[in-house]
C-alpha cells in the first residue's frame, strides 16, 4: 500500500535506487518524499509501482558566486537548506514543509510565503534534465525545448521524469528571520492586511479560524517575515531541534467540531492583542509543522484531505468571505486554515497560483467529504478560481476542466511528448481521463 | 583525518562519507564505475564547500587492482589515517539457491575479496604506525537465519577476521571498527519487507562516525540491534528451525 500525506491508501509500492536513470527506464511515475496530500504521487491501478527518487540526491555543482545549483531530483529541500544556509544561500521559494525533493518542487511548481514577490519555484529553475516517455534523455530550459519546460513546471510529473534540476538559490544576509505577527479580527481586514504587509515584507501569510462566524468570520493571526540583517542577527547558526512525533494513528473522533473550535480559539487568544516581533530560526518560521513528526496521523484512520484554492482578484475581496461562509455553513471543521496572497501567474502551464487570495484547509475525511469538496469547487468555478493539484484528492474532472482554461494547451504538449499516454498517476487517471 | 573510502557512491557509504566530508575529513573515493565516482566526488565537494575529493577505480572483484588503487589514494591524500569499506553485495537465500554462480560470487566478494582488500589496507596503515580500518559487516553474521544463510556465512567470516585483526594488531596501533548494520532502508534492501527497528541512513552514519572516533571495535547500527541480536543469539535451535526470519 502507498499513500499521499493525507493517508488515503491505494495498492502500490516504491522501488528505490540511487540510479535515477536506470530507475526511470520503465517507470510511469516518480515519487519524492510523498508530501503531496492526495493522489498525485500514487501509481495508476494497472501499474502499481512508482520510482522513488530520494536516494538520488547528489549535488552536482554549486557556484558560490552566482548561487547556481545543479542536483539530482531526489535531493531534499532540507538537505539543500542545511547545506547552503551556512554559506549564505537559501531556497528562493519554499513551501510549508522542507521534507520534499527538488523534483517534486518542480513538478508541483511550489509556492511559498513570498509568492507575491518572488513567484513560484519554477521562476528560479534554469534547466531540467529529463527522461521523456519514449525513453530519451534530454535537457530543457526557458530557452531550449521551451514547451516541454513550461509543461513540466507544475506538470505533476506527467510530461517526463525529472532527473536533474538546475536552479538559482537566493543570497540571504544572515541565518535568522525577523518575524512579526498580529491579531486580525475579520476576513476583510485580513485581506487588506496581507496586501499592505506584502508591500514591505517578502514573507507573509495568515492563519484563520474558519469556525468563527458573523462579524468574527475569518479572524486570525497575520504573520510577516524577512531575513535579519547581519547587525540584527545573533552570531552563529540556529541549532536543528529534536522533533517530537505523533507515535500512532489517533482515533477518528479526536479531531471534531469541538476540539477544533477549542484549538482555534486558543490559538487566537494565546496571541496578545499587540504586534509581536521576534527573531526566529528559519526552520521554525518556514516549517512549523515539520517540528512534529507524522502529524498526519492526528486525523485518524480515514485520513484527511487538504483543500487549497485561489480566488482571483477579479472576483473581488468578497470572494473570500463567500468561501468562508459556505465553509462554515457546510460545517467543514478545519484545524488549519492558511490564507496567503498570490502574485502573478508564472511560466508553468499548469501551475496553481494566480493573482488573488489562496486559502488552504485540512478536512478530515468523513462520509460527506466528497459533497463538501464538490460544493467548494462549485463556488471556486463561479469565482473563476482554481485548485492546487498537489493537495487534491476529490475534485471531479468536470470541475477541474471548468477551472483550467490552460488545460487544453498543456494536454497538447503532453500528448506530443507522450502520444501513447504512458506516463500517468492515480490523479491523472481520476482527473484527466488517462487510461487506468 | 585522511580517509580512503571504498563504496561511498551508494547507500550507507554515501551517507557516512557526507558526514565525514562535512566535518572536514579529507576523502579519496574508490569504486567500480568512474562516472559514478566523479559524481559522488563532486557531491562531497559541494556539500563540504572546501577541498577537493580524488577518485580511483577499484573493483572489489578484481584484487589485482587493490594495490594500485590504494597507492593512488595514499598519493592523492598525502598520507592515510583510515580506510573505510562499505562495498559489498547482497542477495536473499531464495535467490542464491536458484543461481549457484551468484552464490559463489557473493561468498567471494563479501569474504575473500573484502579480506584481501583489508589485508592491503592494514599493511599500509601499520607501515605508517597505525590507523583505523572500518569495515561494514552485518548482523546477518551473528546468527544463521533462513533468509540469509550464504550471505550470513560470508559476513560471519568477515566479522571473525576483523576480530582477529583487532587481537593481533591493536598493540601496534591498528584500530579495527567492525560495523554491524541491522536492517537499513537502502537500495540494497529495496523490495524486502522492513522489519521492526529498520534504520534510516543518516542515523546509521552518525552512529558509525561516533564509533570511528572512539575506535570502538564493534558497533551495531542502529544501536537497538545490539539488543535485538542478543535475543536472537539466545534463541534455541528448535525455534530457529521453525522461525521464518
Amino acid at each position: 500500500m502507498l499513500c499521499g500525506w493525507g493517508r488515503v491508501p491505494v495498492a502500490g509500492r516504491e522501488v528505490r535506487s540511487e540510479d535515477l536513470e536506470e530507475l526511470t527506464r520503465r517507470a510511469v511515475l516518480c515519487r519524492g518524499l510523498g508530501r503531496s496530500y492526495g493522489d498525485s504521487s500514487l501509481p495508476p491501478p494497472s501499474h502499481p509501482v512508482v520510482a522513488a527518487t530520494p536516494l538520488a540526491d547528489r549535488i552536482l555543482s554549486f557556484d558560490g558566486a552566482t548561487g547556481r545549483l545543479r542536483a539530482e531530483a531526489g535531493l531534499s529541500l532540507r538537505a539543500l537548506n542545511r547545506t547552503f544556509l551556512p554559506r549564505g544561500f537559501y531556497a528562493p521559494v519554499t513551501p510549508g514543509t522542507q521534507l520534499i525533493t527538488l523534483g517534486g518542487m518542480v513538478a508541483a511548481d511550489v509556492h511559498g510565503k513570498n509568492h507575491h514577490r518572488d513567484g513560484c519555484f519554477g521562476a528560479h529553475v534554469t534547466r531540467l534534465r529529463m527522461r521523456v516517455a519514449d525513453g530519451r534523455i534530454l535537457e530543457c530550459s526557458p530557452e531550449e525545448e521551451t514547451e516541454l519546460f513550461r509543461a513540466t513546471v507544475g506538470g505533476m510529473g506527467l510530461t517526463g521524469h525529472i532527473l536533474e534540476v538546475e536552479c538559482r538559490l537566493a543570497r540571504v544576509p544572515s541565518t535568522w528571520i525577523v518575524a512579526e505577527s498580529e491579531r486580525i479580527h475579520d476576513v476583510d481586514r485580513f485581506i487588506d492586511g496581507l496586501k499592505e504587509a506584502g508591500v514591505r515584507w517578502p514573507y507573509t501569510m495568515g492563519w484563520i479560524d474558519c469556525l468563527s462566524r458573523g462579524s468574527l468570520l475569518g479572524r486570525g493571526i497575520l504573520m510577516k517575515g524577512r531575513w535579519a540583517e547581519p547587525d540584527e542577527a545573533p552570531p552563529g547558526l540556529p541549532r536543528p531541534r529534536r522533533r517530537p512525533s505523533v507515535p500512532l494513528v489517533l482515533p477518528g473522533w479526536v479531531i471534531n467540531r469541538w476540539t477544533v473550535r477549542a484549538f482555534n480559539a486558543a490559538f487566537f487568544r494565546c496571541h496578545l492583542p499587540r504586534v509581536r516581533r521576534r527573531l526566529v530560526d528559519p526552520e521554525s518560521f518556514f516549517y512549523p509543522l515539520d517540528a512534529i513528526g507524522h502529524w498526519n496521523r492526528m486525523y485518524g484512520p480515514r485520513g484527511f484531505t487538504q483543500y487549497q484554492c485561489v480566488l482571483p482578484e477579479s472576483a473581488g475581496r468578497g470572494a473570500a468571505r463567500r468561501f468562508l461562509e459556505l465553509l462554515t455553513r457546510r460545517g467543514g471543521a478545519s484545524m488549519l486554515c492558511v490564507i496567503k496572497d498570490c502574485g502573478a501567474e508564472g511560466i508553468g502551464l499548469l501551475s496553481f497560483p494566480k493573482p488573488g487570495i489562496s486559502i488552504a484547509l485540512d478536512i478530515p475525511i468523513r462520509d460527506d467529504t466528497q459533497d463538501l469538496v464538490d460544493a467548494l469547487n462549485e463556488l471556486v468555478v463561479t469565482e473563476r478560481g482554481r485548485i492546487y493539484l498537489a493537495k487534491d484528492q476529490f475534485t471531479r474532472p468536470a470541475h477541474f476542466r471548468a477551472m483550467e482554461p490552460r488545460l487544453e494547451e498543456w494536454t497538447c504538449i503532453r500528448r506530443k511528448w507522450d502520444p501513447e499516454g504512458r506516463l500517468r498517476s492515480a490523479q491523472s487517471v481520476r482527473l484527466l481521463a488517462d487510461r487506468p | 583525518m585522511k580517509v580512503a573510502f571504498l563504496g561511498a557512491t551508494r547507500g550507507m557509504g554515501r551517507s557516512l562519507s557526507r558526514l565525514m566530508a562535512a566535518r572536514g575529513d579529507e576523502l579519496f573515493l574508490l569504486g567500480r564505475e568512474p562516472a559514478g565516482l566523479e559524481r559522488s566526488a563532486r557531491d562531497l565537494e559541494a556539500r563540504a564547500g572546501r577541498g577537493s575529493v580524488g577518485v580511483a577505480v577499484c573493483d572489489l572483484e578484481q584484487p589485482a587492482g587493490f594495490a594500485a588503487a590504494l597507492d593512488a589514494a595514499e598519493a592523492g591524500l598525502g598520507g592515510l589515517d583510515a580506510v573505510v569499506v562499505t562495498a559489498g553485495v547482497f542477495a536473499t537465500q531464495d535467490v542464491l539457491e536458484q543461481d549457484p554462480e551468484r552464490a559463489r560470487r557473493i561468498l567471494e566478494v563479501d569474504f575473500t575479496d573484502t579480506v584481501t582488500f583489508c589485508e592491503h589496507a592494514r599493511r599500509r596503515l601499520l607501515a605508517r604506525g597505525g590507523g583505523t580500518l572500518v569495515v561494514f559487516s552485518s548482523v546477518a553474521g551473528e546468527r544463521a537465519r533462513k533468509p540469509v544463510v550464504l550471505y550470513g556465512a560470508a559476513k560471519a567470516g568477515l566479522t571473525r577476521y576483523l576480530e582477529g585483526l583487532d587481537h593481533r594488531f591493536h598493540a601496534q596501533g591498528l584500530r579495527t571498527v567492525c560495523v554491524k548494520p541491522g536492517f537499513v532502508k537502502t537500495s540494497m534492501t529495496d523490495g524486502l519487507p522492513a522489519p521492526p527497528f529498520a534504520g534510516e541512513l543518516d542515523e546509521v552514519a552518525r552512529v558509525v562516525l561516533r564509533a570511528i572516533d572512539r575506535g570502538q571495535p564493534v558497533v551495531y547500527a542502529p544501536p537497538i540491534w545490539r539488543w535485538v541480536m542478543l535475543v536472537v543469539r539466545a534463541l534455541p535451535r528448535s525455534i530457529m528451525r521453525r522461525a521464518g526470519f
Side-chain angles (χ1 to χ4, degrees), chain A residues 222-243:
Chain A
L222 175 63
M223 300 173 211
K224 301 165 275 191
R226 63 172 170 80
W227 288 95
E229 292 304 320
D231 57 340
E232 297 172 291
L237 285 167
R239 290 165 65 92
R241 292 172 312 165
R242 278 190 79 83
R243 316 195 303 157

PDB file of all heavy atoms in Angstrom, chain A residues 222-243:
ATOM      1  N   LEU A 222      -2.025  37.271  11.540  1.00  0.00           N
ATOM      2  CA  LEU A 222      -1.265  37.605  10.335  1.00  0.00           C
ATOM      3  C   LEU A 222       0.224  37.548  10.664  1.00  0.00           C
ATOM      4  O   LEU A 222       0.655  38.104  11.666  1.00  0.00           O
ATOM      5  CB  LEU A 222      -1.659  39.010   9.866  1.00  0.00           C
ATOM      6  CG  LEU A 222      -0.886  39.606   8.682  1.00  0.00           C
ATOM      7  CD1 LEU A 222      -1.084  38.779   7.426  1.00  0.00           C
ATOM      8  CD2 LEU A 222      -1.333  41.042   8.444  1.00  0.00           C
ATOM      9  N   MET A 223       0.984  36.850   9.828  1.00  0.00           N
ATOM     10  CA  MET A 223       2.418  36.710  10.101  1.00  0.00           C
ATOM     11  C   MET A 223       3.233  37.266   8.944  1.00  0.00           C
ATOM     12  O   MET A 223       2.881  37.077   7.784  1.00  0.00           O
ATOM     13  CB  MET A 223       2.761  35.237  10.286  1.00  0.00           C
ATOM     14  CG  MET A 223       2.020  34.608  11.436  1.00  0.00           C
ATOM     15  SD  MET A 223       2.297  32.842  11.483  1.00  0.00           S
ATOM     16  CE  MET A 223       0.741  32.302  12.173  1.00  0.00           C
ATOM     17  N   LYS A 224       4.302  37.948   9.325  1.00  0.00           N
ATOM     18  CA  LYS A 224       5.174  38.557   8.326  1.00  0.00           C
ATOM     19  C   LYS A 224       6.619  38.227   8.683  1.00  0.00           C
ATOM     20  O   LYS A 224       6.930  38.036   9.858  1.00  0.00           O
ATOM     21  CB  LYS A 224       5.004  40.083   8.346  1.00  0.00           C
ATOM     22  CG  LYS A 224       3.597  40.534   8.072  1.00  0.00           C
ATOM     23  CD  LYS A 224       3.376  41.973   8.457  1.00  0.00           C
ATOM     24  CE  LYS A 224       3.030  42.128   9.916  1.00  0.00           C
ATOM     25  NZ  LYS A 224       2.553  43.479  10.265  1.00  0.00           N
ATOM     26  N   GLY A 225       7.466  38.203   7.687  1.00  0.00           N
ATOM     27  CA  GLY A 225       8.865  37.922   7.999  1.00  0.00           C
ATOM     28  C   GLY A 225       9.808  38.439   6.939  1.00  0.00           C
ATOM     29  O   GLY A 225       9.399  38.732   5.812  1.00  0.00           O
ATOM     30  N   ARG A 226      11.053  38.595   7.329  1.00  0.00           N
ATOM     31  CA  ARG A 226      12.132  38.939   6.395  1.00  0.00           C
ATOM     32  C   ARG A 226      13.433  38.403   6.983  1.00  0.00           C
ATOM     33  O   ARG A 226      13.508  38.136   8.179  1.00  0.00           O
ATOM     34  CB  ARG A 226      12.210  40.450   6.195  1.00  0.00           C
ATOM     35  CG  ARG A 226      12.541  41.212   7.464  1.00  0.00           C
ATOM     36  CD  ARG A 226      12.794  42.687   7.211  1.00  0.00           C
ATOM     37  NE  ARG A 226      12.881  43.440   8.448  1.00  0.00           N
ATOM     38  CZ  ARG A 226      13.958  43.501   9.234  1.00  0.00           C
ATOM     39  NH1 ARG A 226      15.043  42.810   8.914  1.00  0.00           N
ATOM     40  NH2 ARG A 226      13.956  44.206  10.343  1.00  0.00           N
ATOM     41  N   TRP A 227      14.456  38.265   6.140  1.00  0.00           N
ATOM     42  CA  TRP A 227      15.755  37.844   6.657  1.00  0.00           C
ATOM     43  C   TRP A 227      16.337  38.971   7.498  1.00  0.00           C
ATOM     44  O   TRP A 227      16.267  40.135   7.123  1.00  0.00           O
ATOM     45  CB  TRP A 227      16.699  37.483   5.511  1.00  0.00           C
ATOM     46  CG  TRP A 227      16.303  36.191   4.863  1.00  0.00           C
ATOM     47  CD1 TRP A 227      15.525  36.049   3.747  1.00  0.00           C
ATOM     48  CD2 TRP A 227      16.603  34.879   5.319  1.00  0.00           C
ATOM     49  NE1 TRP A 227      15.332  34.721   3.483  1.00  0.00           N
ATOM     50  CE2 TRP A 227      15.984  33.963   4.419  1.00  0.00           C
ATOM     51  CE3 TRP A 227      17.335  34.351   6.388  1.00  0.00           C
ATOM     52  CZ2 TRP A 227      16.078  32.587   4.563  1.00  0.00           C
ATOM     53  CZ3 TRP A 227      17.427  32.970   6.527  1.00  0.00           C
ATOM     54  CH2 TRP A 227      16.801  32.105   5.627  1.00  0.00           C
ATOM     55  N   ALA A 228      16.903  38.627   8.640  1.00  0.00           N
ATOM     56  CA  ALA A 228      17.527  39.628   9.501  1.00  0.00           C
ATOM     57  C   ALA A 228      18.790  40.163   8.840  1.00  0.00           C
ATOM     58  O   ALA A 228      19.487  39.431   8.131  1.00  0.00           O
ATOM     59  CB  ALA A 228      17.866  38.999  10.846  1.00  0.00           C
ATOM     60  N   GLU A 229      19.054  41.410   9.037  1.00  0.00           N
ATOM     61  CA  GLU A 229      20.327  41.982   8.582  1.00  0.00           C
ATOM     62  C   GLU A 229      21.434  41.503   9.525  1.00  0.00           C
ATOM     63  O   GLU A 229      21.154  41.164  10.678  1.00  0.00           O
ATOM     64  CB  GLU A 229      20.260  43.512   8.591  1.00  0.00           C
ATOM     65  CG  GLU A 229      19.306  44.095   7.550  1.00  0.00           C
ATOM     66  CD  GLU A 229      19.639  43.634   6.123  1.00  0.00           C
ATOM     67  OE1 GLU A 229      20.836  43.559   5.788  1.00  0.00           O
ATOM     68  OE2 GLU A 229      18.697  43.322   5.370  1.00  0.00           O
ATOM     69  N   PRO A 230      22.683  41.480   9.041  1.00  0.00           N
ATOM     70  CA  PRO A 230      23.762  40.923   9.873  1.00  0.00           C
ATOM     71  C   PRO A 230      23.858  41.562  11.269  1.00  0.00           C
ATOM     72  O   PRO A 230      24.142  40.877  12.249  1.00  0.00           O
ATOM     73  CB  PRO A 230      25.021  41.220   9.056  1.00  0.00           C
ATOM     74  CG  PRO A 230      24.553  41.362   7.660  1.00  0.00           C
ATOM     75  CD  PRO A 230      23.154  41.876   7.705  1.00  0.00           C
ATOM     76  N   ASP A 231      23.584  42.875  11.366  1.00  0.00           N
ATOM     77  CA  ASP A 231      23.733  43.516  12.675  1.00  0.00           C
ATOM     78  C   ASP A 231      22.568  43.218  13.620  1.00  0.00           C
ATOM     79  O   ASP A 231      22.642  43.473  14.813  1.00  0.00           O
ATOM     80  CB  ASP A 231      23.926  45.032  12.513  1.00  0.00           C
ATOM     81  CG  ASP A 231      22.767  45.657  11.745  1.00  0.00           C
ATOM     82  OD1 ASP A 231      22.061  44.905  11.051  1.00  0.00           O
ATOM     83  OD2 ASP A 231      22.572  46.878  11.843  1.00  0.00           O
ATOM     84  N   GLU A 232      21.461  42.665  13.084  1.00  0.00           N
ATOM     85  CA  GLU A 232      20.325  42.303  13.948  1.00  0.00           C
ATOM     86  C   GLU A 232      20.418  40.865  14.449  1.00  0.00           C
ATOM     87  O   GLU A 232      19.737  40.497  15.400  1.00  0.00           O
ATOM     88  CB  GLU A 232      19.015  42.374  13.162  1.00  0.00           C
ATOM     89  CG  GLU A 232      18.622  43.718  12.640  1.00  0.00           C
ATOM     90  CD  GLU A 232      17.413  43.567  11.721  1.00  0.00           C
ATOM     91  OE1 GLU A 232      17.561  43.001  10.633  1.00  0.00           O
ATOM     92  OE2 GLU A 232      16.322  43.987  12.125  1.00  0.00           O
ATOM     93  N   ALA A 233      21.197  40.063  13.750  1.00  0.00           N
ATOM     94  CA  ALA A 233      21.155  38.625  13.999  1.00  0.00           C
ATOM     95  C   ALA A 233      22.206  38.204  15.014  1.00  0.00           C
ATOM     96  O   ALA A 233      23.284  38.776  15.058  1.00  0.00           O
ATOM     97  CB  ALA A 233      21.385  37.880  12.690  1.00  0.00           C
ATOM     98  N   PRO A 234      21.877  37.195  15.835  1.00  0.00           N
ATOM     99  CA  PRO A 234      22.900  36.664  16.734  1.00  0.00           C
ATOM    100  C   PRO A 234      23.968  35.952  15.909  1.00  0.00           C
ATOM    101  O   PRO A 234      23.672  35.472  14.814  1.00  0.00           O
ATOM    102  CB  PRO A 234      22.142  35.670  17.599  1.00  0.00           C
ATOM    103  CG  PRO A 234      20.892  35.361  16.877  1.00  0.00           C
ATOM    104  CD  PRO A 234      20.616  36.472  15.927  1.00  0.00           C
ATOM    105  N   PRO A 235      25.194  35.895  16.407  1.00  0.00           N
ATOM    106  CA  PRO A 235      26.209  35.173  15.648  1.00  0.00           C
ATOM    107  C   PRO A 235      25.905  33.682  15.675  1.00  0.00           C
ATOM    108  O   PRO A 235      25.230  33.198  16.567  1.00  0.00           O
ATOM    109  CB  PRO A 235      27.497  35.484  16.410  1.00  0.00           C
ATOM    110  CG  PRO A 235      27.055  35.809  17.792  1.00  0.00           C
ATOM    111  CD  PRO A 235      25.680  36.393  17.691  1.00  0.00           C
ATOM    112  N   GLY A 236      26.387  32.999  14.685  1.00  0.00           N
ATOM    113  CA  GLY A 236      26.241  31.546  14.690  1.00  0.00           C
ATOM    114  C   GLY A 236      24.950  31.083  14.067  1.00  0.00           C
ATOM    115  O   GLY A 236      24.067  31.861  13.747  1.00  0.00           O
ATOM    116  N   LEU A 237      24.877  29.773  13.910  1.00  0.00           N
ATOM    117  CA  LEU A 237      23.754  29.155  13.218  1.00  0.00           C
ATOM    118  C   LEU A 237      22.711  28.682  14.205  1.00  0.00           C
ATOM    119  O   LEU A 237      23.039  28.298  15.316  1.00  0.00           O
ATOM    120  CB  LEU A 237      24.254  27.935  12.443  1.00  0.00           C
ATOM    121  CG  LEU A 237      25.039  28.218  11.175  1.00  0.00           C
ATOM    122  CD1 LEU A 237      25.721  26.948  10.717  1.00  0.00           C
ATOM    123  CD2 LEU A 237      24.100  28.731  10.093  1.00  0.00           C
ATOM    124  N   PRO A 238      21.438  28.713  13.776  1.00  0.00           N
ATOM    125  CA  PRO A 238      20.413  28.098  14.613  1.00  0.00           C
ATOM    126  C   PRO A 238      20.684  26.601  14.717  1.00  0.00           C
ATOM    127  O   PRO A 238      21.136  25.982  13.752  1.00  0.00           O
ATOM    128  CB  PRO A 238      19.122  28.339  13.827  1.00  0.00           C
ATOM    129  CG  PRO A 238      19.457  29.270  12.720  1.00  0.00           C
ATOM    130  CD  PRO A 238      20.921  29.222  12.508  1.00  0.00           C
ATOM    131  N   ARG A 239      20.439  26.025  15.872  1.00  0.00           N
ATOM    132  CA  ARG A 239      20.650  24.581  16.027  1.00  0.00           C
ATOM    133  C   ARG A 239      19.399  23.827  15.593  1.00  0.00           C
ATOM    134  O   ARG A 239      18.297  24.226  15.941  1.00  0.00           O
ATOM    135  CB  ARG A 239      20.905  24.241  17.498  1.00  0.00           C
ATOM    136  CG  ARG A 239      22.241  24.747  18.006  1.00  0.00           C
ATOM    137  CD  ARG A 239      22.241  24.701  19.510  1.00  0.00           C
ATOM    138  NE  ARG A 239      22.147  23.324  20.001  1.00  0.00           N
ATOM    139  CZ  ARG A 239      23.218  22.585  20.286  1.00  0.00           C
ATOM    140  NH1 ARG A 239      24.410  23.080  20.119  1.00  0.00           N
ATOM    141  NH2 ARG A 239      23.077  21.358  20.741  1.00  0.00           N
ATOM    142  N   PRO A 240      19.572  22.746  14.836  1.00  0.00           N
ATOM    143  CA  PRO A 240      18.398  21.955  14.471  1.00  0.00           C
ATOM    144  C   PRO A 240      17.763  21.371  15.733  1.00  0.00           C
ATOM    145  O   PRO A 240      18.473  20.956  16.649  1.00  0.00           O
ATOM    146  CB  PRO A 240      18.962  20.841  13.590  1.00  0.00           C
ATOM    147  CG  PRO A 240      20.407  21.098  13.432  1.00  0.00           C
ATOM    148  CD  PRO A 240      20.820  22.206  14.337  1.00  0.00           C
ATOM    149  N   ARG A 241      16.435  21.397  15.784  1.00  0.00           N
ATOM    150  CA  ARG A 241      15.776  20.930  17.000  1.00  0.00           C
ATOM    151  C   ARG A 241      15.363  19.468  16.888  1.00  0.00           C
ATOM    152  O   ARG A 241      15.164  18.955  15.793  1.00  0.00           O
ATOM    153  CB  ARG A 241      14.539  21.787  17.258  1.00  0.00           C
ATOM    154  CG  ARG A 241      14.921  23.210  17.624  1.00  0.00           C
ATOM    155  CD  ARG A 241      13.708  24.086  17.672  1.00  0.00           C
ATOM    156  NE  ARG A 241      12.881  23.900  16.482  1.00  0.00           N
ATOM    157  CZ  ARG A 241      11.630  24.313  16.396  1.00  0.00           C
ATOM    158  NH1 ARG A 241      11.059  24.871  17.408  1.00  0.00           N
ATOM    159  NH2 ARG A 241      10.959  24.140  15.277  1.00  0.00           N
ATOM    160  N   ARG A 242      15.230  18.827  18.021  1.00  0.00           N
ATOM    161  CA  ARG A 242      14.717  17.459  18.028  1.00  0.00           C
ATOM    162  C   ARG A 242      13.226  17.486  17.749  1.00  0.00           C
ATOM    163  O   ARG A 242      12.530  18.364  18.225  1.00  0.00           O
ATOM    164  CB  ARG A 242      14.935  16.826  19.398  1.00  0.00           C
ATOM    165  CG  ARG A 242      16.321  16.285  19.587  1.00  0.00           C
ATOM    166  CD  ARG A 242      16.368  15.465  20.860  1.00  0.00           C
ATOM    167  NE  ARG A 242      15.799  14.140  20.670  1.00  0.00           N
ATOM    168  CZ  ARG A 242      16.481  13.125  20.164  1.00  0.00           C
ATOM    169  NH1 ARG A 242      17.723  13.279  19.816  1.00  0.00           N
ATOM    170  NH2 ARG A 242      15.917  11.949  20.012  1.00  0.00           N
ATOM    171  N   ARG A 243      12.762  16.511  16.990  1.00  0.00           N
ATOM    172  CA  ARG A 243      11.343  16.517  16.651  1.00  0.00           C
ATOM    173  C   ARG A 243      10.563  15.524  17.495  1.00  0.00           C
ATOM    174  O   ARG A 243      10.876  14.344  17.512  1.00  0.00           O
ATOM    175  CB  ARG A 243      11.137  16.104  15.190  1.00  0.00           C
ATOM    176  CG  ARG A 243      12.081  16.743  14.217  1.00  0.00           C
ATOM    177  CD  ARG A 243      11.593  16.577  12.810  1.00  0.00           C
ATOM    178  NE  ARG A 243      11.374  15.192  12.411  1.00  0.00           N
ATOM    179  CZ  ARG A 243      10.568  14.826  11.431  1.00  0.00           C
ATOM    180  NH1 ARG A 243       9.873  15.723  10.781  1.00  0.00           N
ATOM    181  NH2 ARG A 243      10.445  13.567  11.098  1.00  0.00           N
TER     182      ARG A 243
END
